[in-house]
């Protein structure tokens, strides 16, 4: 699961990452945090690497809290590649240009963040399994 979320601008990043990792482990999936895959020498954003990681993901969870342009950029890439996306945001966040922006699920604290993520992971996994079954039945 590819994760899009504010990092340096979010004072709660470490806590939210821990909640997200726990929810993913509970769902039995691996998560891909893009910044974990940059070179130890501070490599810049690599478009080809990002497109590859997105296209090989079963889905994307995009946290649009704090209205970060970089998050919207990555979300746009994922949506253009037609990767299934679950949109989440802290309650009260203004949502800008995003396909299906009316589907954003809001959270208010760490507990509700975990609940929202578990639901999003479950939905993305179920959608992927349904797509896989549909592809098999067309053979």
């Amino acid at each position: 699961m590819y994760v899009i979320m504010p990092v340096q601008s979010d004072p709660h990043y470490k806590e939210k990452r821990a909640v997200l990792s726990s929810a993913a482990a509970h769902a039995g999936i691996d998560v891909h945090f893009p910044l974990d895959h940059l070179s130890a020498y501070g490599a810049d954003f690599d478009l080809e690497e990002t497109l590859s990681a997105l296209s090989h993901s079963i889905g994307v969870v995009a946290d649009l809290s704090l209205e970060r342009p970089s998050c919207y950029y990555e979300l746009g890439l994922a949506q253009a590649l037609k990767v299934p996306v679950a949109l989440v945001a802290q309650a009260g966040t203004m949502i800008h240009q995003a396909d299906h922006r009316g589907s954003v699920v809001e959270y208010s604290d760490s507990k509700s963040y975990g609940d929202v993520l578990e639901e999003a992971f479950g939905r993305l996994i179920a959608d992927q399994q349904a797509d896989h079954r549909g592809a098999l039945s067309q053979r």
Side-chain angles (χ1 to χ4, degrees):
M1 188 74 57
Y2 192 97
V3 177
I4 298 170
M5 65 188 299
V7 177
Q8 294 173 337
S9 62
D10 190 345
H12 303 288
Y13 169 73
K14 287 182 181 178
E15 176 186 358
K16 288 168 67 176
R17 180 179 168 137
V19 170
L20 193 148
S21 295
S22 177
H26 186 259
I29 57 174
D30 294 324
V31 290
H32 177 90
F33 293 98
L35 291 182
D36 290 355
H37 299 276
L38 293 180
S39 160
Y41 301 104
D44 289 329
F45 173 82
D46 183 314
L47 179 60
E48 292 304 316
E49 183 178 310
T50 300
L51 292 172
S52 177
L54 284 166
S55 65
H56 289 96
S57 296
I58 64 167
V60 171
V61 170
D63 186 338
L64 300 178
S65 302
L66 303 178
E67 304 173 57
R68 301 295 306 149
S70 58
C71 293
Y72 278 94
Y73 176 77
E74 284 182 275
L75 173 61
L77 294 174
Q79 290 181 329
L81 290 170
K82 307 246 184 262
V83 178
V85 175
L87 302 174
V88 302
Q90 186 170 6
T93 299
M94 181 181 290
I95 304 301
H96 303 281
Q97 287 181 299
D99 193 27
H100 302 293
R101 70 184 192 174
S103 69
V104 173
V105 180
E106 294 185 334
Y107 62 88
S108 57
D109 56 22
S110 293
K111 167 81 171 87
S112 64
Y113 186 58
D115 294 343
V116 162
L117 290 170
E118 285 190 22
E119 179 183 319
F121 290 148
R123 189 171 60 253
L124 289 169
I125 290 168
D127 289 349
Q128 187 222 20
Q129 291 171 342
D131 288 347
H132 180 70
R133 283 190 301 271
L136 288 176
S137 69
Q138 292 177 1
R139 288 185 181 176

